[in-house]
Each structure stands twice: as C-alpha cells, then as structure tokens.
C-alpha cells in the first residue's frame, strides 16, 4: 500500500451554527514534535473552547497514531480527524482543530462532520506527495567537495538536513531508501572515496 505525506503547512476555516473550527495541518517527524506543536497552538489560542488533534507518524516500520477529543464527547473529534488522515494514507503529519464555541449545540453527528470537514479542507489546501522510507547519513568532506555533493543531493532528490562547518564539513543528508545505494556509490566514485559516509540510526 502506498503512503503519502504533506509538502507544507496549511490551514482551514469552517463555521457551523456559530462555532468556528480552525484547522492546522503540519509535518511531523516525531511524537515529541506533535506535543510541542499542540502546546504552542494552545498557548496561541488561550480562549479556544477545545483544541482537538490527531497524528500519524512512521516509527521504524510501523505507523504510530494518536488522537484526542480534548473534552468533546468521546469519538466526536479526534477520531474523525484521524480518519481523514487514514483515508488519504497520510503519514508524518498532524492536524490540530481549534474550536470556538458559537452558543449552539451541534450534537455528536454535527461535531463529527465539523472536525472532519476542517481536516478535509486542510488536506485540500496542501500538496500531497508520495512518502518513502528514508535513510540518514553524515558525510564528512572538504570545502572543495561541496559542489559535487550538492549536485548529487539534487540529482537523487535528497534533503540537506544540516551542515556544520569546521576544518572539514559535516553534511547531514536524508534520502529515499530506494536511491541510497546509488547515491553512496556515485559519491565514492566521483570523489575517489575521499568523503566519509556514515549511516545514522
């Protein structure tokens, strides 16, 4: 089964009988990222009635998923948000839906619809891309090898996560698992093995 993830952060706005639902969809790598985002969003919206949420994150080869109703009736908020992510086979993403109460009860079915819709609109406003297992490396190289390495990063659609400059340069690379072997082989070939490549666990 193919998995997908999101390209950027996106937001949505949905209103039902006076209640405002503000959806925020963000990329996540770790469950700790989710907790930090939730804390930040709650701090930014101190008068919100609820901040309901869900996430799906790849943890090794398994999908870790959680959801929260944050005081709404059980199953009326977090699970509908999570279901929208599952419907699109989204991983490494979290949704936070901020609700401001509008004075009228929506009922469980109304809440399910509203939280689902806020999530669906977030996904519609994003770019969904295929997700693949990746490998991470630290490459130790000289300054003169930056251009060669950067060209290969582009060629193999890798991501330069971080770069530390000292006597030598430490480049932290994340790459699709399918391209990792070719990437390593070409680095060794083009630099005569002068770049040190170490896989990060």
């Amino acid at each position: 089964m193919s998995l997908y993830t999101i390209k950027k952060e996106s937001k949505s706005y949905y209103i039902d009988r006076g209640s405002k639902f503000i959806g925020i969809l963000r990329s996540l790598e770790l469950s700790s990222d989710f907790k930090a985002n939730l804390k930040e969003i709650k701090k930014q919206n101190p008068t919100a009635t609820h901040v309901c949420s869900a996430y799906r994150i790849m943890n090794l080869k398994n999908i870790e998923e959680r959801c929260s109703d944050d005081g709404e009736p059980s199953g009326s908020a977090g699970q509908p948000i999570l279901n929208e992510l599952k419907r699109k086979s989204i991983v490494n993403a979290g949704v936070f839906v901020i609700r401001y109460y509008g004075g009228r009860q929506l009922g469980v079915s109304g809440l399910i619809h509203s939280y689902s819709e806020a999530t669906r609109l977030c996904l519609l406003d994003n770019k969904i891309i295929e997700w693949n297992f990746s490998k991470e490396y630290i490459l130790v190289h000289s300054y003169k090898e930056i251009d060669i390495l950067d060209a290969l990063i582009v060629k193999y659609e890798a991501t330069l996560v971080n770069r530390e400059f000292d006597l030598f340069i430490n480049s932290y690379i994340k790459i699709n698992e399918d391209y990792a072997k070719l990437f390593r082989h070409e680095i060794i070939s083009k630099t005569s093995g002068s770049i040190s490549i170490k896989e990060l666990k």
Side-chain angles (χ1 to χ4, degrees):
M1 181 188 74
S2 294
L3 294 173
Y4 301 88
T5 192
I6 60 170
K7 191 75 173 174
K8 59 186 176 73
E9 177 177 325
S10 57
K11 292 186 177 181
S12 68
Y13 299 90
Y14 182 72
I15 298 175
D16 187 358
R17 285 163 276 183
S19 280
K20 295 177 183 177
F21 297 84
I22 303 165
I24 301 172
L25 173 61
R26 288 181 177 173
S27 295
L28 304 171
E29 293 286 337
L30 304 165
S31 58
S32 57
D33 295 338
F34 171 79
K35 291 171 186 173
N37 275 274
L38 181 59
K39 185 177 180 180
E40 174 200 334
I41 289 167
K42 284 190 171 185
K43 187 176 180 180
Q44 291 172 347
N45 298 272
T47 60
T49 318
H50 306 278
V51 180
C52 303
S53 53
Y55 71 84
R56 301 183 85 219
I57 294 172
M58 286 303 302
N59 188 350
L60 299 177
K61 299 287 184 178
N62 298 309
I63 299 175
E64 176 186 338
E65 53 186 33
R66 296 282 187 279
C67 61
S68 169
D69 295 314
D70 193 36
E72 293 280 32
S74 181
S76 68
Q79 193 61 51
I81 295 169
L82 181 59
N83 288 345
E84 291 299 319
L85 292 175
K86 291 172 78 170
R87 190 171 287 119
K88 296 284 188 181
S89 299
I90 302 289
V91 293
N92 286 15
V95 180
F96 310 85
V97 181
I98 306 151
R99 182 190 180 190
Y100 288 92
Y101 183 60
R104 294 177 63 188
Q105 298 289 338
L106 303 185
V108 171
S109 61
L111 290 171
I112 290 171
H113 176 76
S114 295
Y115 283 103
S116 296
E117 191 66 6
T119 305
R120 189 183 71 82
L121 291 171
C122 269
L123 288 164
L124 271 177
D125 191 40
N126 214 298
K127 183 176 181 182
I128 308 299
I129 55 175
E130 190 166 358
W131 183 91
N132 294 284
F133 286 102
S134 60
K135 288 184 177 290
E136 294 185 36
Y137 297 100
I138 177 171
L139 286 77
V140 181
H141 56 94
S142 66
Y143 283 76
K144 69 180 182 180
E145 291 163 329
I146 284 181
D147 290 344
I148 295 171
L149 181 55
D150 285 352
L152 293 176
I153 288 170
V154 172
K155 178 178 178 179
Y156 289 99
E157 300 176 8
T159 301
L160 178 62
V161 179
N162 190 25
R163 183 167 268 165
E164 298 169 347
F165 296 89
D166 204 333
L167 184 59
F168 285 91
I169 300 171
N170 294 335
S171 293
Y172 295 83
I173 308 295
K174 190 172 185 178
I175 185 168
N176 184 324
E177 191 175 58
D178 294 339
Y179 301 152
K181 190 174 180 181
L182 287 171
F183 177 71
R184 291 184 58 158
H185 178 76
E186 192 161 352
I187 285 174
I188 293 167
S189 172
K190 290 200 167 179
T191 64
S192 302
S194 63
I195 292 182
S196 164
I197 307 171
K198 181 182 178 184
E199 184 174 352
L200 298 174
K201 301 297 182 184

